[in-house]
Amino acid sequence: MRAETAARPAIRVRGLEKAYGQQAVLRGVDFEVARGSIFALLGSNGAGKTTTIKILATLLRADAGTAEVNGFDVTTQPGQVRESISLTGQFAAVDGILSGRENLVLLAKLRHLDDPGGTADDLLARFSLTDAATRRVSTYSGGMRRRLDIAMSLIGNSAVVFLDEPTAGLDPEARIEVWHLVKELAGSGTTVLLTTQYLEEAEQLADRIAILHQGRIIANGTLAELKELLPPAQIEYVEKQPTLEEIFLAVIGDETHAQGAR
């Protein structure tokens, strides 16, 4: 990568607008994403998160504004943008008839990699799917399908990965698995832009968080910077009760240990 390109943000969005008929969805969106970071676009359903992702992935054309991904303009250089990215949508885009390994090999061949089989085996091991490699994906759990979907997004070593609500519909254990995978992605130098409506997910994963509301970015910063927008917290001493998620994971862990001891 040239020094000039490396110095640019991985994603730069300026004045992005999009409407469907008379319904304005994006009303002048601006943000930047640093290379190798995790950026969370946080908002409720209908806020415009998926529309933003589709524009950045060249699947949809904006009505106004500009956007660059990996230094390439999404409107005038769509081919270079597509070569730079991978996209994982809200629903796992895997073939249920094929096995996990066959899904990975097929995509590796489509991307013209030299060793599709080796690439598939490496990813299966990385995502703890080796034991299920030859099983049909239709037999996978939701968490396994999502892990396979993210594994497929890594084929070709894309500089930027878009994850559109990556944990939607997953149980707490599978959600935490995906969180670990996302952190590993960024740790390897990949830039991750994820959309979510889960506050805890953004808090756990993101280096920066942008809140998208009614088509506009109304706040953008690190978690510490966003906390400064509120008045200082009052210190109170209260009894802390475990959350339902903590109870669920503790019980699952105890049951797993018990089965292993039999």
Side-chain angles (χ1 to χ4, degrees):
M1 181 184 298
R2 294 180 303 176
E4 179 184 355
T5 302
R8 294 180 181 175
I11 302 171
R12 176 182 287 151
V13 175
R14 290 287 181 271
L16 214 58
E17 297 181 11
K18 181 64 182 178
Y20 298 106
Q22 299 299 315
Q23 180 64 41
V25 178
L26 301 180
R27 306 166 184 263
V29 170
D30 301 281
F31 64 86
E32 292 185 355
V33 181
R35 292 184 182 276
S37 69
I38 302 175
F39 185 91
L41 197 57
L42 179 65
S44 57
N45 285 332
K49 304 186 303 297
T50 297
T51 296
T52 302
I53 290 283
K54 286 183 176 180
I55 291 172
L56 293 176
T58 74
L59 299 176
L60 193 65
R61 183 179 290 270
D63 297 332
T66 61
E68 293 181 2
V69 177
N70 200 32
F72 301 110
D73 186 280
V74 299
T75 301
T76 62
Q77 299 170 296
Q80 291 94 322
V81 171
R82 290 169 191 153
E83 290 177 356
S84 302
I85 68 170
S86 288
L87 170 63
T88 297
Q90 294 181 24
F91 304 99
V94 294
D95 191 321
I97 296 177
L98 300 179
S99 69
R101 189 176 191 276
E102 288 170 338
N103 269 279
L104 291 165
V105 168
L106 175 61
L107 188 55
K109 287 181 177 179
L110 290 173
R111 286 187 173 264
H112 306 292
L113 299 189
D114 293 333
D115 184 13
T119 298
D121 291 337
D122 289 344
L123 287 169
L124 288 166
R126 179 176 175 183
F127 286 83
S128 303
L129 291 169
T130 300
D131 291 343
T134 59
R135 282 170 44 193
R136 283 191 176 187
V137 172
S138 60
T139 68
Y140 283 17
S141 67
M144 292 170 68
R145 290 171 68 94
R146 180 53 82 186
R147 275 153 47 201
L148 177 62
D149 202 22
I150 295 176
M152 292 175 68
S153 74
L154 300 188
I155 293 177
N157 295 319
S158 301
V160 179
V161 172
F162 296 117
L163 303 176
D164 192 11
E165 301 201 18
T167 63
L170 297 185
D171 61 56
E173 193 174 18
R175 186 168 71 249
I176 291 174
E177 286 182 8
V178 172
W179 288 358
H180 289 316
L181 295 176
V182 173
K183 290 177 181 178
E184 287 181 10
L185 276 179
S188 66
T190 302
T191 302
V192 179
L193 189 157
L194 66 91
T195 71
T196 183
Q197 54 183 313
Y198 301 131
L199 304 180
E200 184 185 9
E201 185 158 279
E203 185 173 354
Q204 288 287 330
L205 294 178
D207 299 303
R208 292 187 70 85
I209 301 166
I211 300 175
L212 183 63
H213 181 64
Q214 296 182 349
R216 291 188 175 90
I217 300 291
I218 60 173
N220 185 348
T222 64
L223 180 60
E225 290 169 346
L226 295 180
K227 286 182 176 180
E228 290 178 357
L229 299 176
L230 298 178
Q234 294 182 350
I235 299 177
E236 296 181 357
Y237 294 95
V238 297
E239 180 181 356
K240 182 182 184 298
Q241 296 292 329
T243 66
L244 183 57
E245 182 171 303
E246 290 171 337
I247 295 170
F248 176 87
L249 294 174
V251 171
I252 290 294
D254 290 344
E255 179 66 22
T256 301
H257 290 313
Q259 290 177 357
R262 291 172 187 168

